[in-house]
Amino acid sequence: MADVTARIARSAAAAESPPTDPAGFDDWFAEFGKRIYTTAERVPLAALDQWYQTPVTGDLWHRSGKFFTVHGLRVHDPAGAVPSWVQPIIDQPEVGILGVLIKEFDGVPHFLIQAKAEPGNPGGLQLSPTVQATRSNYTGVHKGRPVPYLDYFRDTSRHRVIADVRQSEQGAWFYRKRNRNMVVETTAEVEVLDGFRWFTLGQLYRLLSRDDIINMDLRTVLACLPHGSRADGALHRMTDVLSWINGARSLATVRTERIALNALDEWRHSEMGYSHESGGFFDVIGVSVTAAGREVGTWRQPMIEPRGTGVVAFLTREIDGVPHVLLHARTEPGYADVVELAPTVQCIPASYRWLPPAARPRHLDEVLAAGPDRIRFEAVLSEEGGRFFHARNRYLIVDSDVPEDPGHPDYRWLTMDQLTRLLRHSHYLNVQARSLVACLRSLEAARSAG
């Protein structure tokens, strides 16, 4: 693994390379965006021709029985600031593939990246993994064109697996959703199809600081890469970190119960979808999609649309000369294992107008008040554009003076080496934390490059 880590670091340090001209990226991206796009128009739920609502429950199902469903969820959390609530949630039990293909050019690993348009992306085109597909997509349920490069990830026997781990997605909107995050290296000749391009990791890291360029699926795969970090000087031993996580999972009081979508007594149902009676949180809407350059040219589907831009932030500090990040052991109703490590702050601030003061996230005010001298990273990045409509978060990395004991048992300082070690396994870091790990590594690469 040491040789792989060194080679990945070499790619992270490479801002230029023969197969790709960084100066020409914007022209390539803009030109391709004229030909590859999606448009999404709101339509009534009853107009989703391949979907139906069951008469008794109102749950939304695809007529194939595949893809996903939208149903209601009752959540009980007696120890939480909000002890119980009901909400819609997306149930997508199948495991998709998020895969990035690597090939070495002139001694530097390059990543084959796809420019992909999703109906929920606010700006249309974003950079995505080589393969980004649900099981229903890649088994042809949609009757569309085959997924390019899929065989590299379905049969890895002729290639080298760099990373392969199942990871969760948004536990507030997905019920136990997992995707297989894969990085596979090949030495074979690879035909570069229209809309695909080789990048060094350093080039991807530079683009990560730009709003809405690197999509969520690519960020989570990049976070799962092997990474060389200082292995000593951690405030807490790794065995203690694992014990802390297991303890939080064992003591968690969250219970969930599937209920009918029509039984959500705090949610209003209209022909255009479902919305919370407060006007906050998120809506369930229907969209009609027209696409160019996708496996399927037109379709209709339900989506979740959040009410407001979120804030996702890591607080960081040095402890005895070693950089640490403040993690939050967070419960969300859709997690498969109750608790995952989340960013220091992860919320949509506008939603807290309708919640009790005790529910307001710790450290949110510190993040919102941080001046430019403390903000090390800031970009507005989109979440998954295939299920969420214009879901965007302001991602931040902020220097802090929070003490070594953060004053709450659900928070703990960890090093980058510890995060990397946890990312070798499933369901330890949530998808927002994984995005921020990629952002942190981009800062390290920039610092190393001077």
Side-chain angles (χ1 to χ4, degrees):
M1 183 60 73
D3 70 310
V4 174
T5 301
R7 292 169 59 241
I8 295 297
R10 197 155 61 239
S11 184
E16 298 181 2
S17 69
T20 180
D21 172 19
F25 167 77
D26 288 323
D27 291 340
W28 171 80
F29 197 65
E31 180 59 32
F32 192 67
K34 295 175 183 177
R35 297 183 284 119
I36 305 299
Y37 60 85
T38 59
T39 61
E41 176 187 357
R42 295 170 190 265
V43 296
L45 293 181
L48 304 181
D49 51 352
Q50 293 301 309
W51 295 77
Y52 69 95
Q53 287 192 271
T54 54
V56 175
T57 66
D59 293 356
L60 284 158
W61 292 78
H62 193 266
R63 295 189 183 279
S64 67
K66 304 293 185 179
F67 296 105
F68 62 93
T69 62
V70 182
H71 60 76
L73 196 71
R74 188 181 306 279
V75 184
H76 305 271
D77 185 9
V82 180
S84 66
W85 70 90
V86 295
Q87 66 168 88
I89 200 160
I90 295 174
D91 193 340
Q92 186 173 332
E94 58 186 36
V95 178
I97 292 176
L98 306 178
V100 173
L101 188 65
I102 292 182
K103 182 176 171 62
E104 193 169 283
F105 297 94
D106 293 341
V108 177
H110 285 64
F111 297 66
L112 186 61
I113 302 301
Q114 178 182 184
K116 188 179 181 73
E118 295 279 6
N121 290 350
L125 209 61
Q126 295 189 15
L127 296 184
S128 74
T130 319
V131 169
Q132 175 186 316
T134 67
R135 182 174 176 81
S136 291
N137 287 143
Y138 68 72
T139 56
V141 174
H142 55 25
K143 298 182 173 59
R145 294 192 300 272
V147 176
Y149 304 108
L150 180 64
D151 288 347
Y152 288 98
F153 303 95
R154 296 193 73 181
D155 179 9
T156 61
S157 59
R158 294 176 293 115
H159 313 290
R160 184 178 189 180
V161 176
I162 304 299
D164 188 353
V165 60
R166 295 201 311 175
Q167 298 289 13
S168 66
E169 298 202 359
Q170 286 83 353
W173 297 337
F174 276 126
Y175 187 71
R176 299 185 179 178
K177 171 79 182 315
R178 288 100 59 212
N179 270 324
R180 193 175 174 189
N181 288 231
M182 303 180 69
V183 180
V184 173
E185 184 174 21
T186 186
T187 57
E189 290 298 318
V190 178
E191 180 187 3
V192 179
L193 301 176
D194 191 31
F196 291 80
R197 186 180 173 106
W198 293 108
F199 292 85
T200 68
L201 186 55
Q203 290 169 339
L204 293 174
Y205 279 160
R206 290 190 177 193
L207 292 170
L208 189 53
S209 64
R210 294 169 56 174
D211 293 353
D212 293 327
I213 295 292
I214 304 289
N215 81 355
M216 184 201 81
D217 299 292
L218 181 52
R219 299 194 304 265
T220 179
V221 177
L222 294 181
C224 295
L225 284 167
H227 182 75
S229 301
R230 180 173 172 179
D232 60 350
L235 181 61
H236 304 284
R237 296 182 309 157
M238 199 63 195
T239 52
D240 294 330
V241 171
L242 294 172
S243 178
W244 169 58
I245 297 169
N246 287 331
R249 289 172 171 172
S250 300
L251 296 173
T253 59
V254 175
R255 292 183 296 109
T256 60
E257 171 191 0
R258 178 170 177 161
I259 61 174
L261 198 58
N262 285 344
L264 303 179
D265 51 10
E266 299 170 8
W267 293 73
R268 296 193 300 264
H269 177 206
S270 71
E271 69 169 7
M272 299 303 291
Y274 290 81
S275 57
H276 195 266
E277 61 186 10
S278 67
F281 306 107
F282 63 88
D283 299 339
V284 177
I285 64 172
V287 296
S288 176
V289 182
T290 302
R294 292 280 303 231
E295 294 87 357
V296 176
T298 61
W299 71 91
R300 296 185 176 191
Q301 68 171 89
M303 300 191 85
I304 281 180
E305 180 183 25
R307 290 289 187 103
T309 300
V311 172
V312 176
F314 270 159
L315 292 184
T316 65
R317 61 162 293 185
E318 286 197 355
I319 299 175
D320 294 332
V322 178
H324 283 67
V325 179
L326 188 60
L327 275 294
H328 176 202
R330 179 184 174 97
T331 60
E332 290 189 6
Y335 286 156
D337 206 355
V338 189
V339 171
E340 294 191 15
L341 297 189
T344 320
V345 172
Q346 175 193 315
C347 68
I348 299 176
S351 297
Y352 291 89
R353 286 179 284 178
W354 299 285
L355 294 174
R360 188 170 178 82
R362 296 173 67 87
H363 307 293
L364 172 59
D365 293 333
E366 178 181 358
V367 169
L368 295 178
D373 59 318
R374 291 176 52 208
I375 296 175
R376 297 174 54 203
F377 179 94
E378 180 176 13
V380 177
L381 304 174
S382 299
E383 302 307 317
E384 212 276 317
R387 300 291 177 265
F388 310 139
F389 189 76
H390 291 193
R392 305 174 82 212
N393 284 308
R394 182 182 171 215
Y395 278 84
L396 295 146
I397 297 172
V398 179
D399 286 332
S400 172
D401 58 2
V402 172
E404 295 181 9
D405 180 356
H408 194 284
D410 291 342
Y411 291 81
R412 189 160 293 192
W413 291 103
L414 274 66
T415 64
M416 281 296 293
D417 176 68
Q418 290 174 323
L419 299 184
T420 297
R421 291 162 68 183
L422 290 171
L423 281 165
R424 297 173 189 163
H425 308 279
S426 302
H427 304 156
Y428 278 125
L429 265 68
N430 76 359
V431 67
Q432 292 89 347
R434 296 197 301 274
S435 282
L436 279 174
V437 166
C439 298
L440 267 172
R441 290 178 181 171
S442 75
L443 293 180
E444 289 184 3
R447 186 169 59 249
S448 297

